[in-house]
Amino acid sequence: MKHLTILVPDVQTANSTIACIVGAYQVFTGANDYRVRQGKRPLFKIETAGVAPEAAFINGLLTIRPQVDLASLDKTDLVLVPSLNPAFEQAVKGNIQLVDWLTRQYKNGAEIASMCTGAFMVAATGLLAKRNCSIHWNAADHFRSLYPEVHLKTEQVITDEQGIYTNGGGYSFLNLLLYLVEKYYDRETAIYCSKIFQIDIDRQVQSSFTIFTGQKTHGDELVKEAQLYLEANFRDKVSVAALSKRFSAGRRNFDRRFVKATGNTPLEYLQRVKIESAKKALETTRKTIQEVMYEVGYADVKAFREVFRKITGLSPLDYKNKYNKEAAGKV
């Protein structure tokens, strides 16, 4: 029988930490139960593990007592790391022990899966350096500032690379759990868990959930001024050459600084600002796709649709139908 460890951190936790722990325990227990009903042995021995006798969550409203002390757990096969406080700064106190233990287990052959902002803890081990990683879009800028060597893929729900799994934000950790059930058990068991827990299976992207606000905590005042200018004038025709000239910077140097500060090229940033405005119009008004397109500064329907789909993962019409029930179907 394989061993599954669900970590129970006791510092830098969030309200969602407990949801990840309980959800993971429930889904994998359900997968084991389904396997038993088929006349097979459970695949995993499932245990929660921590460094403290108990961990308090939601201002002490709930507590969890780990079943196993981490120091006594020498070998495991799969480790699930729950979400943490998105203001995570570094591994501290008990989390240092968790990070050290994670590193040892991975070197000993265990696989590691982080749920949402649990990626902060996995990144603190150094194991994610130069590897792909997904995380909640709202924590992406802070994550990049701490771990610039990690290849962040915020559009993806799940990444799977060399025995390390990560996933996007919120309750998309449930999609990661189904992915792991299919990988360790089989497709049939994953479908069963999908149905019994009513979780959409095979969800691949989280782009349509992203709210673009623009990273402005980078400290580069020239870039910040350029961002504010783009956000105020995105409906007009703005060329990157004219933008760099406006802020008295050479084009190549301007592009380099902009990418370093925001994670986007100036053109990508402008596109994201336009599409964010378009999304809000599609969500809250009865304007047609073409009306919205012209309003945000596009004149070509094909180009607008391509950029919209690239950023959100949906066509403008599909997005409208998903988020604006009143206007659904009005093209």
Side-chain angles (χ1 to χ4, degrees), residues 265-283:
T265 66
L267 178 59
E268 289 170 341
Y269 195 91
L270 179 60
Q271 288 176 334
R272 294 184 71 92
V273 172
K274 286 176 178 288
I275 297 306
E276 190 62 30
S277 179
K279 285 163 55 182
K280 290 177 182 176
L282 293 173
E283 291 165 5

Side-chain angles (χ1 to χ4, degrees), residues 135-138 154-157 168-173 175 200 203-213 272 276 279 283 308 311-314 319 322-323:
I135 199 169
H136 196 293
W137 56 264
N138 202 32
T154 54
E155 73 280 5
Q156 296 182 17
V157 171
Y171 282 82
S172 70
F173 76 85
N175 302 105
D200 285 338
R203 187 159 73 84
Q204 302 296 323
V205 296
Q206 61 173 342
S207 304
S208 65
F209 298 101
T210 302
I211 301 173
F212 183 70
T213 55
R272 294 184 71 92
E276 190 62 30
K279 285 163 55 182
E283 291 165 5
F308 194 98
I311 290 176
T312 69
L314 298 172
Y319 189 92
K322 182 173 183 177
Y323 289 107

Side-chain angles (χ1 to χ4, degrees), residues 82-261:
S83 65
L84 296 169
N85 190 322
F88 186 97
E89 289 299 332
Q90 59 182 345
V92 296
K93 298 180 182 178
N95 280 351
I96 293 177
Q97 293 174 260
L98 295 181
V99 166
D100 291 343
W101 182 86
L102 270 178
T103 305
R104 290 197 306 273
Q105 291 301 321
Y106 183 74
K107 290 179 178 178
N108 289 334
E111 295 196 323
I112 299 172
S114 70
M115 295 177 269
C116 190
T117 45
F120 280 105
M121 182 181 291
V122 181
T125 66
L127 296 173
L128 281 174
K130 297 183 179 179
R131 292 180 179 174
N132 294 329
C133 171
S134 183
I135 199 169
H136 196 293
W137 56 264
N138 202 32
D141 289 336
H142 180 49
F143 185 93
R144 285 192 188 96
S145 71
L146 291 179
Y147 307 109
E149 72 281 6
V150 179
H151 302 153
L152 209 54
K153 303 289 183 180
T154 54
E155 73 280 5
Q156 296 182 17
V157 171
I158 297 166
T159 65
D160 175 348
E161 193 169 347
Q162 295 179 304
I164 298 179
Y165 311 88
T166 67
N167 91 281
Y171 282 82
S172 70
F173 76 85
L174 296 169
N175 302 105
L176 173 65
L177 297 179
L178 287 186
Y179 182 86
L180 293 171
V181 167
E182 180 171 355
K183 190 149 192 173
Y184 276 91
Y185 294 78
D186 51 37
R187 178 71 174 180
E188 181 182 341
T189 306
I191 291 173
Y192 168 79
C193 289
S194 171
K195 291 181 177 180
I196 200 71
F197 296 114
Q198 299 189 32
I199 308 166
D200 285 338
I201 198 166
D202 295 333
R203 187 159 73 84
Q204 302 296 323
V205 296
Q206 61 173 342
S207 304
S208 65
F209 298 101
T210 302
I211 301 173
F212 183 70
T213 55
Q215 150 72 324
K216 297 189 180 72
T217 60
H218 43 71
D220 190 324
E221 288 303 315
L222 182 146
V223 173
K224 185 175 180 180
E225 287 182 33
Q227 289 175 267
L228 294 173
Y229 179 84
L230 288 174
E231 290 168 11
N233 299 277
F234 68 89
R235 293 179 177 87
D236 303 328
K237 285 188 176 182
V238 180
S239 73
V240 179
L243 189 66
S244 60
K245 185 176 180 180
R246 180 183 183 86
F247 291 98
S248 304
R251 172 67 186 272
R252 291 183 64 183
N253 182 52
F254 179 76
D255 285 356
R256 181 187 59 78
R257 288 175 64 174
F258 203 99
V259 171
K260 182 180 179 181

Side-chain angles (χ1 to χ4, degrees), residues 19-57:
C20 290
I21 294 169
V22 174
Y25 196 93
Q26 189 173 12
V27 168
F28 274 92
T29 298
N32 268 350
D33 291 345
Y34 182 70
R35 188 176 172 89
V36 169
R37 289 201 296 276
Q38 292 178 312
K40 302 174 184 178
R41 293 182 59 194
L43 184 63
F44 279 109
K45 179 180 181 181
I46 307 165
E47 291 185 312
T48 56
V51 296
E54 66 178 31
F57 302 91

